[in-house]
Amino acid sequence: MAGHHRIRHGKGEAGENEMRRFSYAGSPARILFGSGISLDLVSIVEEAGCSRALVLATPHQKADAEQLAAKLGTLSVGVFAGAVMHTPVEVTQAALAIVAESGADCVVSLGGGSTTGLGKAIAYRTDLTQIVVPTTYAGSEVTSILGQTQDGRKTTVKDPRILPEVVVYDPDLTHGLPVAMSVTSALNAMAHAVEGLYAQDRNPVSSLMAVEGLRAFAKSLPVIVREPGNAEARAEALYGAWLCGTVLGAVGMALHHKICHTLGGSFDTPHAETHAIMLPHTAAFNAAAAREELAPAAALFGGLIGGGLWDFAKSIGAPMSLKDVGLVEEDLDRAADIASENPYWNPRPIDRASIRGLLQQAYEGNRPTD
Ligand code: NAD
């Protein structure tokens, strides 16, 4: 988690002849990683001090959640398979009624960011223990951030109660993640790492994790695209997801996350796809202002961060343009207005005109130059 005091890094502040300055706070979550580890859930629930688990899932993963509940046996009080995108408060309230009725003392969230979001929304209101079993690369399971929607408005809260206590990363559960979703989910995770590298409150550990996470995805994604059931590549990608998610939980984000939040919140574009499309463009936008910080990442993608990420995304079949996710050109003006209305920190200062230009490039799906 980020410290309360943001340490600013100016150019050269951490240079050879100057004193380093940073703050670092390790996340208190327990992380368990390994092929087949989800089979140990009975002991994992017991070790968390719990005995009445409510298993959460989306309707799509209901059967998997029921199987998991059956494996938990008497430790399970049932399944709530109503999780949906954007964590609507009505769904949280319906789940809270089941929590109260069943006397659950923990939630086991099986799925991606949407299911994890529901578990977080419950824990935020009840402080129940959360055990998350991720099946995508979104990274939400290692952050204390919750985005929720009420009456069509998305708000974000950050609170220690929101951070899941235990995360069970079992790569075997990701073998069935369709290739297209694997690609967009991974690029979503990689965006956390790229922005983490130039975050104002970055620290040496968050930067090491970011580069290692990007390396893991650069290596594993091309293999997953060719061979979705490759166990080694699936494990490497999930390892990358943990690292990139941890970076998101540890340091502040900037332009990229702000633009994706705007597009998802105001134009309902799909979450992971939007991140995938925007990443090469936002990275190129910040490339010159954060050249030194981004250099180890750029090296992984052929030397240029924006152009290199664009080539990589194209080679693994990612969606490449905002046209692909239903945006129309007339939306770009309003998107630029919203994304530039509240000032926020970014390595390259932003203004409406530059954001409008960036959105045009992403709309057309052009290869960025940086
Ligand atoms: P998702 O959780 O919405 O999942 C998309 C669909 O894929 C669902 O139907 C799900 O059941 C299905 N699915 C998941 N894993 C599968 C698998 N292995 N095989 C087959 N189907 C599978 O998608 P996501 O991209 O993981 O999460 C997106 C949401 O997470 C967004 O709402 C986003 O805002 C949120 N998020 C939050 C944070 C945070 O820190 N708060 C971080 C990242 C994402």
Side-chain angles (χ1 to χ4, degrees):
M1 281 182 294
H4 292 295
H5 303 281
R6 297 211 149 187
I7 305 286
R8 285 160 185 261
H9 296 249
K11 277 245 169 284
E13 250 179 42
E16 273 175 50
N17 301 320
E18 293 179 68
M19 291 280 283
R20 285 180 184 274
R21 263 173 78 85
F22 60 85
S23 84
Y24 169 76
S27 163
R30 181 178 189 214
I31 308 296
L32 300 160
F33 193 105
S35 166
I37 201 162
S38 61
L39 300 173
D40 298 339
L41 261 175
V42 165
S43 49
I44 293 168
V45 170
E46 284 171 349
E47 280 159 18
C50 301
S51 58
R52 300 183 63 78
L54 179 66
V55 181
L56 307 176
T58 62
H60 180 73
Q61 288 175 294
K62 187 174 181 207
D64 295 336
E66 283 170 349
Q67 261 184 20
L68 196 154
K71 278 191 206 128
L72 286 175
T74 54
L75 289 181
S76 163
V77 295
V79 171
F80 178 86
V84 292
M85 275 280 249
H86 307 314
T87 329
V89 170
E90 311 83 79
V91 174
T92 302
Q93 277 157 355
L96 283 168
I98 311 277
V99 166
E101 209 173 280
S102 63
D105 63 3
C106 69
V107 291
V108 174
S109 310
L110 173 71
S114 296
T115 302
T116 303
L118 175 60
K120 287 174 158 184
I122 294 170
Y124 180 51
R125 293 163 174 84
T126 61
D127 210 14
L128 280 198
T129 297
Q130 299 173 71
I131 299 169
V132 184
V133 188
T135 62
T136 73
Y137 307 132
S140 174
E141 64 282 351
V142 282
T143 80
S144 53
I145 309 159
L146 164 66
Q148 42 186 1
T149 47
Q150 186 159 27
D151 307 323
R153 275 197 61 234
K154 184 165 180 174
T155 51
T156 304
V157 273
K158 194 166 183 188
D159 187 283
R161 279 171 298 183
I162 293 169
L163 182 77
E165 283 76 3
V166 185
V167 185
V168 182
Y169 284 111
D170 185 342
D172 297 3
L173 304 183
T174 62
H175 289 199
L177 185 65
V179 166
M181 274 181 65
S182 302
V183 164
T184 52
S185 184
L187 287 162
N188 178 190
M190 291 167 72
H192 310 329
V194 171
E195 289 232 293
L197 281 173
Y198 53 59
Q200 257 187 318
D201 56 350
R202 67 188 180 276
N203 62 65
V205 177
S206 65
S207 297
L208 285 169
M209 290 182 113
V211 176
E212 175 67 353
L214 290 168
R215 186 207 56 75
F217 278 123
K219 182 178 165 201
S220 59
L221 274 179
V223 181
I224 289 172
V225 168
R226 286 196 305 273
E227 196 192 329
N230 185 299
E232 206 177 308
R234 284 294 187 181
E236 189 77 355
L238 195 60
Y239 164 68
W242 166 58
L243 292 164
C244 294
T246 304
V247 172
L248 171 69
V251 302
M253 296 287 119
L255 173 76
H256 173 85
H257 282 73
K258 174 75 178 178
I259 288 188
C260 292
H261 189 94
T262 299
L263 294 173
S266 303
F267 302 92
D268 213 22
T269 60
H271 180 85
E273 286 87 339
T274 307
H275 276 271
I277 294 163
M278 289 308 306
L279 178 60
H281 299 280
T282 52
F285 186 90
N286 283 327
R291 185 78 66 203
E292 206 180 307
E293 295 82 358
L294 288 169
L300 292 168
F301 298 99
L304 289 177
I305 189 74
L309 279 168
W310 191 91
D311 294 339
F312 179 70
K314 196 168 170 62
S315 75
I316 55 174
M320 300 303 292
S321 106
L322 290 176
K323 283 179 200 169
D324 297 345
V325 289
L327 222 69
V328 290
E329 202 161 357
E330 293 73 60
D331 293 332
L332 301 182
D333 279 330
R334 192 158 66 90
D337 289 342
I338 302 170
S340 52
E341 69 191 2
N342 299 315
Y344 52 92
W345 184 85
N346 187 62
R348 170 176 159 188
I350 51 163
D351 55 57
R352 190 195 174 283
S354 59
I355 293 199
R356 180 65 182 79
L358 167 71
L359 286 168
Q360 187 70 35
Q361 291 301 312
Y363 178 76
E364 289 171 12
N366 297 329
R367 185 180 189 276
T369 44
D370 52 328

